[in-house]
Amino acid sequence: MAANSSTGSATEPPGLETQWREIDNLNQQQLRAGDSWYLLDKRWYDQWKEYVHTGDQNSSSYPGKIDNTELYEDLDSYHLKERLTENEDFILVPAEAWHKLLSWYDMMDDQPPLERKVVDLPSTVKVEVYPVEVYLCLSSNLESTVSARFSRADKIHAIHQKIRQHFNVSETAESRLWMRSTDTSSERLRNLNMTVLDTCLSSGMTVIMEIRNADGTWPTSRPQIMRNSADEDSYQGPPGVCGLTNLGNTCFMNSALQCLSNTPPLTEYFLKNSYLEELNFTNPLGMKGEIAEAYADVIKQMWSGRHYSVVPRVFKTKVGHFASQFLGYQQHDSQELLSFLLDGLHEDLNRVKKKEYIELRDADGRPDQEVAEEAWHNHLRRNDSVIVDTFHGLFKSTLVCPECNKVSVTFDPFCYLSVPLPVSKERVMEVFYVSLDPTAKPTQYRLIVPKAGRVIDLCAALSQATGIPPNQMAVADVFNHRFYRIYQTDEFLSCILDRDDIFVYQLSSGCVDQDGEEVVMAIYMRERSHYRDYGSGSNSYGTSLFGHPLLMSMPRAQCTREALYQLLLKRLARYVRPLDPSEEVEEEEEDEEELYKAQTNGVSDDEGEEDSEEAGPSKKEEETQESSQNEEQNNCQSEASPSSEGEERAEEEESSSEPDRGSSTEEGQSACGSTDTNSQDATDGDQSAGAEPSGKEEEDEEEPASCAQANKRLPGRRHYTERRKKALFTMQAVNSNGTTERGMGEADGSFSFSSQPYIAIDWDPDMKKKYYNENEAEKYIKHQSMDVPHQQTTVQLQECIELFTTVETLEEENPWYCPTCKKHQLATKILDLWSLPEVLIIHLKRFSYTKYSREKLDTIVEFPLRDLDFSGFLLKKTVNSTEPPCRYDLIAVSNHYGGLRDGHYTSYARNKDNGQWYYFDDSKVTYAREEQIVVRLMQLSVVCFINMKSK
């Protein structure tokens, strides 16, 4: 402008009085943010005031040309001096006053005008005398900088343009700015519409422009690239044919990203940088534009044609930052990620900067067309983005009150359709049936049972195949050689998962109650180690479970060790070889091996061994006394005869009735370690009459005499000289895990159980190797029902849409408030499609969740890959020329393989450039044929269609 230099073209000034009046009036105006004011040297201004006040145009006080020489630091750079003071060194005049003075008096040659902006600071409005002076440079050459001044009211966009102009950066090159205050601290200047003041940019800082590389990456944050041996810069492949590295259970994210990447309208929007002008940094519902930028970075890398596969680590981090459910590396649903991403992109790119409140109106009998147009218009007043343009449609929701028949009609937008799959009322279960016949192998059956049925229904289905009454069956879940759960007949089958190993055991009688005449016992197989486990605080032998557990019933009145031992021999006859007569060698009762067996039978032989080791006679001394002490070993034997047990009970009762004799007996039993009740005290702390150990403080040499004296005081005993026969295994009452040992029996050899009994069969390793056939024990038979292939349900996609638009009744947790009845009602609800978007996303609800379980539906969904007609589902029958037709082609599919725990996501997608189908499995990308997609439709979770008119 003319004020930049003196041109000698000053106009004829008005009268001196007029000059003063005009300038003085202009100087009285208020400061307004954004206005320009000019610095004027105070001495020149004072001389001008004196000149105009003299009233003589020929006065010697004429000021001459405007001269700000005293305000400049030097006349080369024309930098303003530091620490200048207003009204002492300079005065400020508004732009209009400055231009008048300039036109009247002109300005010294080459002096630039000192224009300054009025800025609105948090506490005041003032003229910015000293603007922000920063250094500008490119990231490719940080040493080449140039200084520039910007007002605090200037937008970052002005700095962006200044760098482009000075460094000749093309307008088509995508760039971003960084603000660096120190050599190690940098911050992104993401919002170009923010002011210098809002970004806290101050003098001395450096603003760096970074230009995106040709492969879609940024120089300062180049991600890891999956490459082969070829040089990365030499690779040139089809754009979009690019894998995504699995960062750890992120296949769900990769699958969803591939589907969106191959959605043409959205990808073109990002590749053309249209998103840069629509980033919404102030939307409180958005992510400050960070999700949109992170997604744009991934898309640009994938479509650069320079990568085999890229690592979306930054994108994953951003997603986890704004959606905590995606933090870490847990498995998720691809639809869950897709839903979050579409909503995040919409809010980050929402063209509506300030959302207004809109009160929704009910239809109240108005025509559907009118209500629908009003609803869509209201939706656009708050939501207007590329996501709305591409993915949003409209459906009609109709609610009917069951009491007053009030009909409420609303039209609501949708971004995708979550359609249900037809759910079968039956389910297929595979079980192993264990017969009472000890020679019969377990048989595997495939049964069809009601999905909402109970365990008794499973038994009934098995009963039809086996002929065994359902009330003679017990159902259990076997896991790690033990019973994870034993089911009651009234429990729901939904508690049983498909992956569970279910065993059904035939019982000898039906309707077994906990307090009935029959008791059901859970039998575990355990193998003890060769060595004692001293590290656990005891000196018992360590054990480990093996084989399949058993469930069997026996009369409660006959629950003795001998009876149980004989019953187990019969039940295990198929894979446990019995002892030959020649092998039934009688053994010393006090042999160390028998001591272990007695201990693991819940009897105190092991305790006695411990006591004898600590304070009793040596093993040889015990063996010499065996014939005289054998009677005194109450319940010590693994298979005690009923007669001896009866005599022992009588003798115990006799001893308990005579205090003196009972006291000496207790001493003898404790010293010799021979009472079953002592074992219970030592194991569980249970107390029984006549079982308190009282002789552990006696001297070693006195203990054998104590035992002999006790025997002499029991005249009712017979002194055994027989030896016990060898046993294949021993028995021990345990907890449900088969670990903690419990007390198991009364003094007479019978059992007493207060809850579900768990019995462990303990095998010596050598005995197990010799008599237990592991191969035979693991054998089972497949019933012919297992040969019948499982017929998977096949439905058409249209059937799923019809199910989506079926009338349903609201659940109690989600009632509707009826404005007529003035209360919440369980109204009937129906959804109808009114209008469809350009790109239609359909989510199939393959995962079914109940209170007790989760399952995946393997229903096969069929639909054509081209020309899929949705017109039959639309209520809106009149389509104008500006709206696309209701025919769609498939463009992408998200697949889920496997189950809920070990599933994997992949995707099929059609490239927008060459029309070729590709199969994306994380970082691996291969060509795909259309028939492959058809074959694997049973796995699809999300499908994306594009309107045929949009291609």
Side-chain angles (χ1 to χ4, degrees), residues 515-723:
D515 299 325
E517 297 181 357
E518 295 274 334
V519 58
V520 177
M521 296 185 180
I523 309 298
Y524 291 160
M525 297 286 185
R526 297 196 308 183
E527 180 180 5
R528 74 175 180 88
S529 63
H530 285 283
Y531 306 101
R532 295 181 183 272
D533 182 14
Y534 292 98
S536 61
S538 67
N539 62 349
S540 60
Y541 290 90
T543 58
S544 59
L545 294 171
F546 71 94
H548 294 299
L550 284 175
L551 274 180
M552 63 183 193
S553 62
M554 65 183 301
R556 191 179 296 272
Q558 301 176 15
C559 287
T560 63
R561 294 181 184 84
E562 176 66 18
L564 178 58
Y565 180 79
Q566 296 300 329
L567 180 60
L568 288 173
L569 286 178
K570 294 179 182 179
R571 289 300 302 269
L572 305 178
R574 182 172 60 86
Y575 46 90
V576 173
R577 183 172 68 85
L579 287 167
D580 295 335
S582 60
E583 296 175 312
E584 295 181 348
V585 179
E586 296 176 346
E587 295 182 339
E588 297 280 344
E589 182 179 313
E590 293 297 326
D591 181 75
E592 183 179 359
E593 189 71 14
E594 289 302 311
L595 288 172
Y596 163 74
K597 295 175 181 177
Q599 184 271 334
T600 53
N601 268 302
V603 193
S604 63
D605 282 48
D606 194 45
E607 294 269 340
E609 181 181 332
E610 294 174 24
D611 291 342
S612 64
E613 289 174 354
E614 294 175 4
S618 66
K619 184 176 179 181
K620 287 186 178 181
E621 291 173 333
E622 290 184 32
E623 290 174 351
T624 60
Q625 300 172 12
E626 180 180 359
S627 60
S628 63
Q629 296 180 5
N630 198 34
E631 287 183 348
E632 203 266 341
Q633 304 288 335
N634 290 337
N635 297 322
C636 174
Q637 302 172 11
S638 296
E639 298 88 33
S641 65
S643 60
S644 65
E645 291 172 352
E647 293 174 7
E648 290 165 0
R649 277 200 306 273
E651 291 163 357
E652 286 179 359
E653 292 171 359
E654 182 180 353
S655 65
S656 64
S657 64
E658 300 181 25
D660 294 339
R661 205 161 37 179
S663 176
S664 62
T665 302
E666 287 175 23
E667 288 185 13
Q669 290 174 343
S670 176
C672 299
S674 58
T675 62
D676 180 52
T677 50
N678 279 346
S679 173
Q680 302 308 313
D681 289 340
T683 304
D684 296 324
D686 298 334
Q687 295 183 0
S688 301
E692 285 294 329
S694 58
K696 290 187 178 181
E697 293 82 4
E698 299 294 333
E699 296 296 330
D700 292 350
E701 62 272 10
E702 295 178 2
E703 289 175 353
S706 172
C707 293
Q709 184 182 8
N711 289 333
K712 291 178 182 179
R713 293 182 182 181
L714 297 175
R717 288 185 179 273
R718 286 194 300 109
H719 295 274
Y720 285 147
T721 58
E722 297 182 50
R723 299 175 183 176

Side-chain angles (χ1 to χ4, degrees), residues 37 90 121 240 387 406 409 452 500 559 735 739 748 843 852:
W37 286 62
F90 65 90
L121 300 178
I387 303 300
K406 161 70 176 177
V409 177
D500 294 340
C559 287
N735 62 5
T739 53
D748 60 355
H843 166 227
Y852 301 100

Side-chain angles (χ1 to χ4, degrees), residues 206-474:
T206 303
V207 178
I208 305 170
M209 174 175 283
E210 182 183 14
I211 302 174
R212 190 188 289 273
N213 297 322
D215 64 354
T217 62
W218 293 103
T220 57
S221 59
R222 188 179 184 89
Q224 299 174 1
I225 307 299
M226 300 297 292
R227 292 288 183 187
N228 59 9
S229 57
D231 180 56
E232 63 179 35
D233 293 328
S234 64
Y235 174 76
Q236 187 67 42
V241 184
C242 177
L244 293 169
T245 302
N246 193 321
L247 305 175
N249 283 334
T250 58
C251 57
F252 71 95
M253 181 183 75
N254 294 345
S255 178
L257 285 175
Q258 293 290 3
C259 290
L260 282 188
S261 171
N262 287 277
T263 302
L266 185 63
T267 298
E268 290 292 341
Y269 173 83
F270 280 96
L271 293 181
K272 293 178 180 178
N273 295 330
S274 301
Y275 74 100
L276 293 174
E277 300 298 325
E278 297 183 349
L279 285 171
N280 191 331
F281 300 100
T282 60
N283 187 356
L285 300 179
M287 289 79 176
K288 312 302 181 186
E290 293 186 35
I291 287 294
E293 287 187 335
Y295 177 77
D297 287 346
V298 174
I299 293 299
K300 288 179 179 294
Q301 293 173 44
M302 294 175 65
W303 287 86
S304 67
R306 302 290 184 90
H307 308 305
Y308 289 104
S309 178
V310 299
V311 183
R313 193 179 305 278
V314 175
F315 177 81
K316 169 70 170 60
T317 302
K318 293 292 184 183
V319 169
H321 175 72
F322 291 105
S324 59
Q325 67 268 31
F326 297 112
L327 281 173
Y329 299 95
Q330 303 298 318
Q331 295 184 6
H332 294 279
D333 186 0
S334 66
Q335 168 61 21
E336 185 182 6
L337 186 279
L338 189 63
S339 175
F340 163 78
L341 182 54
L342 288 174
D343 184 65
L345 290 176
H346 160 64
E347 296 296 353
D348 273 0
L349 300 170
N350 198 343
R351 304 177 185 112
V352 180
K353 306 304 179 184
K354 187 176 181 181
K355 296 187 177 183
E356 57 181 312
Y357 172 76
I358 300 175
E359 186 174 353
L360 300 179
R361 296 173 54 196
D362 197 74
D364 290 331
R366 292 181 294 163
D368 285 351
Q369 183 71 29
E370 176 185 343
V371 180
E373 290 178 356
E374 177 185 83
W376 186 251
H377 175 69
N378 290 337
H379 179 60
L380 293 181
R381 288 167 63 185
R382 292 175 55 87
N383 303 278
D384 184 16
S385 69
V386 65
I387 303 300
V388 175
D389 300 340
T390 308
F391 298 99
H392 282 206
L394 202 65
F395 59 67
K396 175 185 177 183
S397 174
T398 305
L399 292 168
V400 179
C401 178
E403 187 172 321
C404 67
N405 293 324
K406 161 70 176 177
V407 178
S408 174
V409 177
T410 57
F411 286 81
D412 302 299
F414 67 86
C415 187
Y416 51 85
L417 297 179
S418 288
V419 300
L421 294 176
V423 179
S424 173
K425 296 183 179 180
E426 297 178 335
R427 64 179 290 193
V428 176
M429 295 187 65
E430 296 180 1
V431 301
F432 292 92
Y433 172 69
V434 181
S435 172
L436 270 178
D437 183 1
T439 63
K441 298 181 180 68
T443 306
Q444 187 179 21
Y445 288 86
R446 179 175 288 163
L447 306 173
I448 298 178
V449 296
K451 181 169 289 188
R454 301 176 185 266
V455 172
I456 189 62
D457 297 316
L458 172 64
C459 296
L462 184 59
S463 176
Q464 295 180 359
T466 61
I468 303 300
N471 61 356
Q472 291 187 15
M473 296 180 182

